[in-house]
Amino acid sequence: RADIKMDYKQLKVWDLKLSDAGIYTCKYGSHEVHTSLHIFKLTISSDGHFLQNEVPELILMQNSSSPQPDLSITLFNSNNNRVTTELQRKTHQKYIVNLKKLEAMDSGTWVCQVRSDSPLLNHNISFAVKVLGFQNPDLERKYATVDSPVILSWHLNAQKIKWKAGFTGQLNWIQQEGANAHELLDFNVTAQGQLHETKKSSNFLFEIPERKPEIIIKVKLPKVDFNHSGQYQCQLEYQGRHAQSKIELVVMKVSANPDGPLSSGANMTLTCQVSGPLPPNAYLRWERVNGTNMEVKNSRQREVKLEVNISAAGLWSCHLIEDDDRKISLHYHVEEAPVWINYIIIGASVGGSLLVFALGCLCIISGISWQRRMQRAKRMAQARQNLLENRTCQCQQ
């Protein structure tokens, strides 16, 4: 592992080991020069390949001919920003350091800066960190309206960091907390960065859109149903370790009661509802397009259902507002009943009133007639009784 260049008085050693540390002496005639070789060995757990949210362990070892100096270790990430570390164990020869939880953006070349005051040392050691994960937020919320299409996407950084080893993953859908998970698709990525997907679910309507060269896991719901809401979780697996990213799909729907045209003077109830809980900074709003401020109603905090009683026809809109930003809107057109329908309704009302009045009068007349018949029958019965009594008296005489 060594080579001597006599012309330049040089000794070159390859593949240095900790045991190569010590004092090297060069003798040339009566001249003698001593050089102390101090060797560092830096190793990183998992061979520098991590999933997001994992905590790497860094081990730095040193060896020299003199007593091992007390080292100061500083780490810089790929953006040359200083990284907070936690020193787990320390001896004069071995230092074990834990890094923070990694994110996908932490991939790149890191630098370990080693310093010592006695002897004076200042040495930089470069090492590679590859973090496989999602460029999505840890929990992303996506809103959709009923019957509209929606695409859920998970962006992986595997191609960006030129990941050498393959990994597998799956996409699951959980409608509500504690419910069974439905596996939608399996996927794997080869060492060449090619993505292969296999559709698993047979009772769920979705599509796998065409993808660009980037590694993106996508599912498309061509026509969202209210029951399609819930958590869609994409999970990666590499050497028994897991990383995951969730998208919460919230679906909105509107309805009316009654759902027919709005007659003059009548009322209608419009209902706007979302499928899942809202964050504290989100709320629902009903308003009539080109209406007045009196025709605006907001929901309370965390309220997932908002009703409004209306008496004016027109275009009504329900908005889901988060941080003063309208995320989605759903419109409901309330038609005004034609004039002839109003006349029919008025006529039916008047006719009904007259019919009730006529029935009432008929009942009164029938009652009076019945009462008179009863009285007449009583009088006739009394007359017959009197006549019978008179005839009896005449026979006795």
Side-chain angles (χ1 to χ4, degrees):
R1 295 186 294 116
D3 184 26
I4 299 176
K5 294 184 178 181
M6 299 299 297
D7 295 340
Y8 301 98
K9 311 296 189 294
Q10 288 182 349
L11 172 65
K12 186 174 182 179
V13 182
W14 294 280
D15 193 19
L16 285 174
K17 301 178 181 179
L18 285 173
S19 58
D20 292 329
I23 298 176
Y24 288 75
T25 303
C26 178
K27 294 182 178 181
Y28 184 72
S30 60
H31 299 282
E32 190 172 297
V33 179
H34 303 282
T35 300
S36 177
L37 180 60
H38 194 125
I39 295 181
F40 297 101
K41 181 181 179 181
L42 182 69
T43 57
I44 186 169
S45 56
S46 300
D47 196 27
H49 291 71
F50 303 97
L51 298 179
Q52 64 186 84
N53 294 325
E54 289 188 330
V55 179
E57 184 181 74
L58 205 66
I59 300 177
L60 178 68
M61 299 186 69
Q62 65 171 339
N63 192 16
S64 65
S65 58
S66 58
Q68 312 300 328
D70 192 15
L71 301 178
S72 171
I73 300 175
T74 307
L75 291 182
F76 297 89
N77 63 16
S78 57
N79 296 320
N80 203 29
N81 296 324
R82 185 169 178 171
V83 177
T84 302
T85 59
E86 181 181 353
L87 187 62
Q88 290 294 103
R89 292 194 302 275
K90 171 185 173 182
T91 64
H92 285 300
Q93 190 176 13
K94 185 176 183 179
Y95 295 76
I96 301 179
V97 178
N98 280 352
L99 280 65
K100 64 180 182 65
K101 287 185 177 180
L102 294 175
E103 301 177 5
M105 63 184 67
D106 289 327
S107 296
T109 301
W110 289 45
V111 173
C112 176
Q113 187 180 73
V114 182
R115 289 185 175 182
S116 171
D117 293 331
S118 178
L120 188 60
L121 293 173
N122 187 356
H123 186 64
N124 291 336
I125 306 174
S126 299
F127 60 99
V129 174
K130 295 185 178 182
V131 185
L132 178 65
F134 303 93
Q135 295 173 263
N136 303 54
D138 286 340
L139 178 59
E140 184 179 352
R141 185 175 286 104
K142 196 173 185 67
Y143 299 109
T145 56
V146 167
D147 294 335
S148 66
V150 65
I151 296 179
L152 307 178
S153 302
W154 287 264
H155 296 250
L156 300 176
N157 65 337
Q159 192 174 47
K160 181 180 178 181
I161 63 176
K162 296 181 180 179
W163 191 267
K164 297 300 182 182
F167 59 86
T168 61
Q170 61 183 15
L171 177 61
N172 300 322
W173 168 54
I174 302 176
Q175 189 168 9
Q176 57 187 2
E177 197 70 30
N180 294 328
H182 302 274
E183 187 177 351
L184 301 185
L185 61 89
D186 286 344
F187 61 90
N188 65 80
V189 177
T190 66
Q192 291 74 32
Q194 296 177 337
L195 178 63
H196 299 282
E197 297 156 319
T198 304
K199 195 171 181 178
K200 301 290 288 187
S201 177
S202 58
N203 57 355
F204 191 87
L205 180 62
F206 71 95
E207 300 174 1
I208 303 176
E210 293 183 6
R211 58 182 179 272
K212 296 179 180 179
E214 294 83 6
I215 298 181
I216 303 177
I217 307 299
K218 287 184 179 181
V219 292
K220 178 181 179 180
L221 311 181
K223 196 174 182 180
V224 175
D225 187 81
F226 195 71
N227 293 326
H228 289 163
S229 61
Q231 282 192 356
Y232 292 78
Q233 176 179 290
C234 191
Q235 186 180 74
L236 297 175
E237 182 177 352
Y238 177 70
Q239 294 184 348
R241 294 130 56 196
H242 297 84
Q244 60 190 22
S245 176
K246 298 178 182 178
I247 295 180
E248 180 82 21
L249 180 61
V250 180
V251 182
M252 174 193 283
K253 68 177 180 179
V254 296
S255 59
N257 185 26
D259 58 359
L262 183 62
S263 304
S264 177
N267 291 328
M268 178 184 288
T269 299
L270 298 180
T271 302
C272 180
Q273 186 176 356
V274 292
S275 58
L278 297 176
N281 55 346
Y283 61 93
L284 300 174
R285 170 182 290 173
W286 267 118
E287 65 180 10
R288 188 164 74 98
V289 178
N290 298 326
T292 64
N293 291 333
M294 300 297 294
E295 295 172 308
V296 176
K297 184 178 180 181
N298 295 332
S299 67
R300 295 189 296 270
Q301 190 177 28
R302 295 185 180 278
E303 192 174 28
V304 298
K305 186 178 181 180
L306 179 62
E307 294 182 346
V308 60
N309 294 320
I310 65 169
S311 57
L315 185 62
W316 288 80
S317 297
C318 180
H319 308 291
L320 194 157
I321 302 174
E322 184 178 347
D323 289 330
D324 297 326
D325 181 26
R326 290 184 182 180
K327 295 296 184 180
I328 51 172
S329 298
L330 197 54
H331 307 294
Y332 192 92
H333 183 66
V334 180
E335 296 183 356
E336 187 175 6
V339 176
W340 62 272
I341 292 182
N342 291 330
Y343 288 155
I344 290 177
I345 294 175
I346 294 173
S349 301
V350 173
S353 300
L354 292 176
L355 180 62
V356 171
F357 178 73
L359 289 175
C361 292
L362 183 60
C363 290
I364 293 173
I365 294 172
S366 299
I368 294 173
S369 299
W370 179 79
Q371 188 176 13
R372 287 178 179 176
R373 286 197 300 271
M374 291 297 294
Q375 290 175 352
R376 186 164 52 248
K378 286 181 180 180
R379 287 196 298 269
M380 293 178 65
Q382 185 65 39
R384 285 195 297 271
Q385 182 68 28
N386 293 336
L387 181 61
L388 182 62
E389 290 176 355
N390 290 336
R391 288 178 179 177
T392 303
C393 292
Q394 290 175 359
C395 290
Q396 289 176 351
Q397 293 176 355

